[in-house]
Amino acid sequence: TMAETATPRPTLLQRLGAGAYQVFCALLRIQDIRLVAIFGKGIGYLAWALFPSRRKIVARNLRIAIDPMLRGAELARLVRQNIVRTCMNMACTFKTGLMTDKEFKRSVTVQGAREFETMAANGNCGIGCIPHAGNWEVLARIRPLFPSVKRFGSMYRRLDNPGLEDIVYRSRTRYGCEMFASQKGLKEVFRLAKEGGMLGVLSDQFTQQGIFLPYFGKVTGTTPLPALIHKRCKDKGHLLAASTRNTGLGKWEAVLSREIPLSEGVESMAEVTMAVNLELE
């Protein structure tokens, strides 16, 4: 009904927050991405120095993901690098949707564009399984590179502030990427799967629900959504690991060509999700 779909009126505090973000974006728009990256790295060094509890969490995660025997100076170095790079990437996500085409071309390269297009064209559906790492906002900007792909979209979680949500939504869809709010259900997502195209899903977290499977050897809640969409696509679905990696100051490479192999007979949601986890590792 109209009452159910109507956008709630923002509170005064929410309007002030959205206004402040607009001012922030206006200032960010005139900054070079490399300057934003330097600022983000500075925040990262500050966070590394001031938050020992965060250092402990990152150290634990690195021992899980890389080597349980990591200790001493090597672990400390990796912890510092991880925190600094994470903060740099987070700062640059705000700028990514505001970059000019010239700045974007200078900052972003694509690996595997031809394979990516094949998996998402001619009625096929590519399901991009994206990890919570890097500057994933880059993936919303690459849509114009693939005119033969019928639909190009991504799942996301709506922000609680309606004004802020509108600003962020317009930024993410400006270049043709469709955004599907998880709160609205999966009807439109399944329609894209049927028609063909590309759909991105942040696939390596679902802490309270989902399927509990090993990820880097530690059992954790993982979203079954890529497996569910793949099942709906029948024989026209392709799972791929889509990611971005930092290659320099204010520079990234979007890696799009890694199709996730499924062994013969793998059909259950848990088996497909486990294959996704292994590839994202």
Side-chain angles (χ1 to χ4, degrees), residues 115-260:
E115 296 92 332
F116 177 89
E117 194 159 20
T118 299
M119 286 185 274
N122 301 318
N124 293 309
C125 181
I127 303 121
C129 302
I130 306 166
H132 283 78
N135 178 1
W136 58 76
E137 294 291 341
V138 162
L139 300 175
R141 282 290 306 260
I142 63 173
R143 199 298 179 244
L145 301 179
F146 305 100
S148 68
V149 175
K150 184 175 182 180
R151 299 185 67 179
F152 187 105
S154 181
M155 296 289 298
Y156 82 110
R157 182 174 180 80
R158 295 189 64 170
L159 300 173
D160 293 331
N161 183 330
L164 195 56
E165 161 66 19
D166 183 60
I167 296 169
V168 174
Y169 181 86
R170 283 188 280 111
S171 173
R172 286 172 166 170
T173 58
R174 183 174 294 125
Y175 295 90
C177 181
E178 302 177 64
M179 302 301 298
F180 305 114
S182 57
Q183 297 93 327
K184 289 188 174 183
L186 300 175
K187 183 178 179 180
E188 195 59 30
V189 172
F190 290 148
R191 182 175 295 161
L192 185 152
K194 183 179 179 181
E195 294 177 0
M198 176 57 62
L199 180 73
V201 183
L202 286 164
S203 304
D204 60 349
Q205 272 186 14
F206 211 62
T207 54
Q208 301 303 319
Q209 300 179 53
I211 301 176
F212 286 85
L213 293 168
Y215 188 51
F216 287 104
K218 184 177 178 64
V219 175
T220 187
T222 308
T223 177
L225 187 55
L228 180 60
I229 298 168
H230 182 262
K231 189 174 182 179
R232 286 293 187 109
C233 293
K234 301 188 184 299
D235 59 342
K236 289 198 171 186
H238 300 273
L239 291 162
L240 65 145
S243 61
T244 62
R245 59 187 178 203
N246 183 232
T247 58
L249 188 65
K251 292 188 176 184
W252 296 268
E253 181 178 50
V255 183
L256 308 173
S257 60
R258 290 170 52 198
E259 185 164 10
I260 300 174

Side-chain angles (χ1 to χ4, degrees), residues 50-98:
L50 296 180
F51 299 107
S53 61
R54 185 62 192 169
R55 295 201 298 269
K56 289 180 181 178
I57 292 171
V58 172
R60 181 200 66 187
N61 290 341
L62 287 172
R63 284 196 295 267
I64 291 171
I66 299 175
D67 182 355
M69 299 306 294
L70 271 176
R71 294 291 187 278
E74 177 66 7
L75 177 60
R77 180 184 67 82
L78 291 173
V79 167
R80 183 177 66 252
Q81 283 185 347
N82 181 277
I83 292 174
V84 170
R85 184 179 288 115
T86 297
C87 289
M88 182 199 69
N89 277 319
M90 287 301 294
C92 290
T93 60
F94 294 102
K95 169 69 175 176
T96 301
L98 304 172

